[in-house]
Amino acid sequence: DSGVTQTPKHLITATGQRVTLRCSPRSGDLSVYWYQQSLDQGLQFLIQYYNGEERAKGNILERFSAQQFPDLHSELNLSSLELGDSALYFCASSVHFRDTQYFGPGTRLTVL
Amino acid sequence: GIQVEQSPPDLILQEGANSTLRCNFSDSVNNLQWFHQNPWGQLINLFYIPSGTKQNGRLSATTVATERYSLLYISSSQTTDSGVYFCALGEGNTPLVFGKGTRLSVIA
């Protein structure tokens, strides 16, 4: 158990819908990262927050947004879902930027 | 951006065998991590190793930053070592870039 929690574990929804994925980092970790893992794209960095502020953005679609709350948990919002958004979404956390990253169990999103 | 190449892409081992996984990268890095993704999808951090050598049980890793490669050694492999091994790199405070991974299957 990495100490990073993610909910829900599985999510099945329809095209055009909106979903919210939630992540709680390890106690004491200030940095939260979101990744998308799909068969064709591999593990792709989406976005990073550090102590409530956005620090880095990767290949995150405009339909996706995220935030980190004062208690340091983070949410990833995916809207206008398409079939191609089906993937495993991971959250990871670390104390600071260049520290060891610990991954949560992931949320498997299926868009039908 | 940083390019990451892992080899071999696939590896099949008999239980008890040793193996070496390689990660080559294109630029200088100050953040290099190895991960294991088990068959259930969980990603586990194995090493944070931007340079030097570290050991953890049957696993060890060496990074030679000046020559832009890192090696992960697995000794006396067990079936529980099966899964995909990723190296991931970053430079400065940039996000980690993941390689495509080496898929390891250990057969009893």
Side-chain angles (χ1 to χ4, degrees), chain A residues 13-87:
Chain A
T13 188
T15 54
Q17 294 298 305
R18 173 189 168 96
V19 297
T20 297
L21 312 184
R22 184 188 166 102
C23 167
S24 292
R26 292 187 327 148
S27 176
D29 285 359
L30 299 177
S31 240
V32 169
Y33 312 79
W34 286 98
Y35 294 88
Q36 179 193 59
Q37 186 177 34
S38 60
L39 282 174
D40 54 344
Q41 295 291 325
L43 258 166
Q44 298 277 318
F45 166 75
L46 295 178
I47 197 164
Q48 176 199 359
Y49 283 84
Y50 180 80
N51 204 19
E53 293 189 7
E54 182 185 304
R55 293 299 303 213
K57 238 177 179 175
N59 296 325
I60 186 166
L61 299 171
E62 284 191 15
R63 300 183 285 108
F64 296 1
S65 65
Q67 54 184 326
Q68 187 179 29
F69 294 87
D71 66 352
L72 301 179
H73 91 271
S74 178
E75 292 180 358
L76 178 67
N77 301 296
L78 314 177
S79 61
S80 302
L81 286 167
E82 302 175 358
L83 296 177
D85 298 327
S86 295

Side-chain angles (χ1 to χ4, degrees), chain B:
Chain B
I2 297 172
Q3 304 296 312
V4 186
E5 187 177 331
Q6 290 188 243
S7 60
D10 296 281
L11 188 57
I12 301 174
L13 293 177
Q14 201 72 34
E15 200 169 27
N18 302 329
S19 62
T20 302
L21 281 55
R22 189 176 180 102
C23 173
N24 290 336
F25 45 94
S26 58
D27 299 308
S28 62
V29 296
N30 55 12
N31 184 354
L32 191 152
Q33 304 187 33
W34 282 96
F35 296 87
H36 174 222
Q37 186 168 33
N38 64 26
W40 296 270
Q42 177 69 41
L43 272 160
I44 299 157
N45 192 292
L46 300 175
F47 294 103
Y48 175 87
I49 187 165
S51 64
T53 297
K54 288 187 178 178
Q55 178 150 11
N56 185 1
R58 296 180 296 102
L59 271 57
S60 64
T62 294
T63 297
V64 183
T66 52
E67 297 188 24
R68 300 185 181 166
Y69 72 88
S70 183
L71 302 174
L72 178 69
Y73 304 96
I74 305 174
S75 64
S76 304
S77 58
Q78 301 175 359
T79 55
T80 51
D81 296 330
S82 296
V84 183
Y85 290 80
F86 293 100
C87 74
L89 314 165
E91 192 258 329
N93 291 327
T94 59
L96 290 179
V97 174
F98 280 74
K100 295 185 183 213
T102 291
R103 182 173 299 277
L104 174 65
S105 299
V106 181
I107 302 169

